[in-house]
Amino acid sequence: MKYFILVLLSTILTGAAHAHPDHAETGMQHEAAAMAAAAADFLVTLDEDQRSSVLFDLSDTEAREGWSNLPTTMAPRSGLQIATLNDTQRIALHRLLARGLSSEGYGDAMHIMTLETYLRAGVEAAIAERGEDLSDEDRERATSRMEANDPENYWVRIFGDPASGTWSLVLDGHHLAVTATVVEGRIAFTPVFLGNNPQTIQTGTYAGRRSLQHELDRVADLMASLETEQMDELVQSDDTRDSARFAGPDWVPDMEAAPVGLSAADLNAEQQIMLTYAIREFIGTATMAAADAQMARIEADGLDNIMLAWWGDYTDLSRRFMLRITGPSLHIDFTRTGREDRPNHFHIVIRDPSNEYGSDWLRTHYEEAHAEE
């Protein structure tokens, strides 16, 4: 009876895409149409120069893949900066973002952007504390960094014509990069970068507020359930990997290399459901139907093709660590990073090796378009 209940919970959690594969496709068509309408409404609010800044050719892969986790002082962005928009334009942009993300994804993105206020205050306090001991060069560098830590210092790019049904959206800035590629009613939402600093606010009116906590909780539940033999397969090293390589799209590991870690097939039924919970949490930034469709593809890969690997201290998740969940249609790296004595800082990267930036769908789209010529 317990196993039946667990399977039932897994089916419910996996959503409509699991029970009715065509429901996710139909749902994505509605979501894609709503996104296109919101994009058109946003573009109408812009003047000619702004439209020139925000619009790119869909084939401009350099701009599409030019997102970064790094501050803009280290990685300048292209496109249209939120800080330059008036109220009407901001309202239209946020309608587009709300349509292109789930409620979870939109909330996470807004919280991450708001955290720049705390980083800015920290740099400003450090400048004041150092006072005259700070050299002119260091002061200039710190001031530039402080000014870059701005909730409005995020940049939007639109590729192609939303009205055509095949186009792409990118929003990025420090600790945040979200993408959506729409191809004839289907939505690819990877890559995604989600970060925070601080993960948990420590002082003031908002002390205790945290971001990306549910991802941590799902991982913690799974880790706590593992047996010694499973840990022996899972843990690769006591040392964490350098998360700096998560900065942009070039970090993707060699997918041809032999996978390492613990096979999801070696989890028991309850642990497999915990893994499903965790994966759903990570891909939950996407719109509902897009996430359901992605989950269906991940399940179709089979448990034998999904691997988990861990670097760092697995007994205390308040310390630095990195978890990797990888398979043919999914690649997640989740790291707790930051100062060794206070790693209050997350980086999460979500990729789809089989359809990054909707590449598989776009390839078919272009082949069919040329075949009609």
Side-chain angles (χ1 to χ4, degrees):
M1 175 62 72
K2 180 180 179 183
Y3 179 76
F4 173 78
I5 293 173
L6 289 173
V7 171
L8 178 62
L9 286 172
S10 180
T11 301
I12 293 171
L13 174 71
T14 305
H18 182 77
H20 306 283
D22 58 332
H23 283 194
E25 295 293 329
T26 301
M28 277 198 291
Q29 291 175 9
H30 290 292
E31 292 172 349
M35 284 178 61
D41 290 344
F42 170 60
L43 291 172
V44 165
T45 70
L46 305 179
D47 62 34
E48 186 175 346
D49 288 341
Q50 289 173 314
R51 280 194 295 273
S52 178
S53 294
V54 79
L55 288 173
F56 294 78
D57 193 280
L58 186 58
S59 63
D60 189 346
T61 56
E62 182 177 354
R64 287 183 73 205
E65 299 178 11
W67 60 269
S68 178
N69 154 57
L70 297 173
T72 55
T73 51
M74 301 173 67
R77 306 303 201 272
S78 62
L80 193 60
Q81 187 187 32
I82 292 179
T84 66
L85 304 180
N86 62 34
D87 289 349
T88 299
Q89 293 164 343
R90 291 173 192 235
I91 290 169
L93 173 61
H94 279 279
R95 181 171 180 269
L96 170 57
L97 296 177
R99 277 296 191 179
L101 298 165
S102 66
S103 56
E104 173 192 340
Y106 181 73
D108 282 343
M110 295 306 103
H111 190 108
I112 290 167
M113 293 162 73
T114 300
L115 288 176
E116 291 299 288
T117 302
Y118 290 87
L119 292 177
R120 184 188 187 104
V123 176
E124 187 174 19
I127 293 173
E129 183 179 351
R130 293 284 301 275
E132 294 182 357
D133 293 337
L134 203 61
S135 69
D136 291 342
E137 181 180 355
D138 287 343
R139 183 180 300 277
E140 182 178 353
R141 185 182 301 110
T143 300
S144 177
R145 177 183 169 191
M146 179 185 69
E147 292 173 349
N149 290 135
D150 186 339
E152 297 181 314
N153 192 17
Y154 289 81
W155 299 69
V156 62
R157 301 182 287 286
I158 292 175
F159 299 83
D161 179 7
S164 73
T166 299
W167 62 289
S168 185
L169 170 71
V170 177
L171 173 79
D172 79 318
H174 187 210
H175 277 155
L176 177 67
V178 292
T179 70
T181 302
V182 181
V183 183
E184 299 175 346
R186 291 178 292 177
I187 304 169
F189 63 91
T190 60
V192 177
F193 185 100
L194 303 171
N196 54 31
N197 186 15
Q199 188 268 330
T200 302
I201 298 172
Q202 298 294 316
T203 60
T205 303
Y206 300 112
R209 292 196 183 183
R210 57 198 68 203
S211 54
L212 309 177
Q213 182 65 37
H214 292 92
E215 287 82 351
L216 176 65
D217 290 342
R218 298 299 189 193
V219 169
D221 291 343
L222 176 60
M223 291 293 291
S225 76
L226 297 179
E227 304 292 341
T228 301
E229 295 79 6
Q230 293 171 317
M231 283 294 188
D232 290 341
E233 296 293 325
L234 176 75
V235 178
Q236 306 304 302
S237 170
D238 292 336
D239 297 325
T240 55
R241 292 190 164 194
D242 182 7
S243 64
R245 62 201 182 98
F246 292 3
D250 295 336
W251 73 273
V252 180
D254 180 7
M255 299 306 295
E256 299 299 323
V260 297
L262 174 68
S263 170
D266 293 332
L267 302 175
N268 63 37
E270 189 168 358
Q271 291 167 339
Q272 287 171 2
I273 290 175
M274 290 182 184
L275 175 61
T276 302
Y277 271 64
I279 292 173
R280 285 293 307 208
E281 198 70 56
F282 283 110
I283 68 175
T285 58
T287 56
M288 187 176 295
D292 282 345
Q294 188 72 28
M295 198 70 204
R297 289 192 291 275
I298 294 166
E299 289 186 326
D301 293 337
L303 292 174
D304 289 342
N305 290 310
I306 298 175
M307 302 291 292
L308 296 82
W310 185 272
W311 291 263
D313 187 349
Y314 62 87
T315 65
D316 182 0
L317 270 62
S318 69
R319 310 302 302 168
R320 292 176 178 174
F321 69 79
M322 189 182 86
L323 168 68
R324 172 168 290 171
I325 305 172
T326 190
S329 303
L330 179 71
H331 192 105
I332 296 170
D333 277 355
F334 172 28
T335 182
R336 179 190 281 275
T337 185
R339 287 172 40 177
E340 187 170 357
D341 63 333
R342 192 175 61 195
N344 190 20
H345 185 169
F346 287 178
H347 286 173
I348 297 173
V349 190
I350 306 162
R351 310 297 290 256
D352 177 0
S354 70
N355 194 33
E356 195 79 299
Y357 301 99
S359 58
D360 186 52
W361 298 341
L362 284 172
R363 187 181 306 110
T364 301
H365 170 79
Y366 290 134
E367 288 173 353
E368 291 177 350
H370 287 303
E372 295 173 357
E373 293 176 354

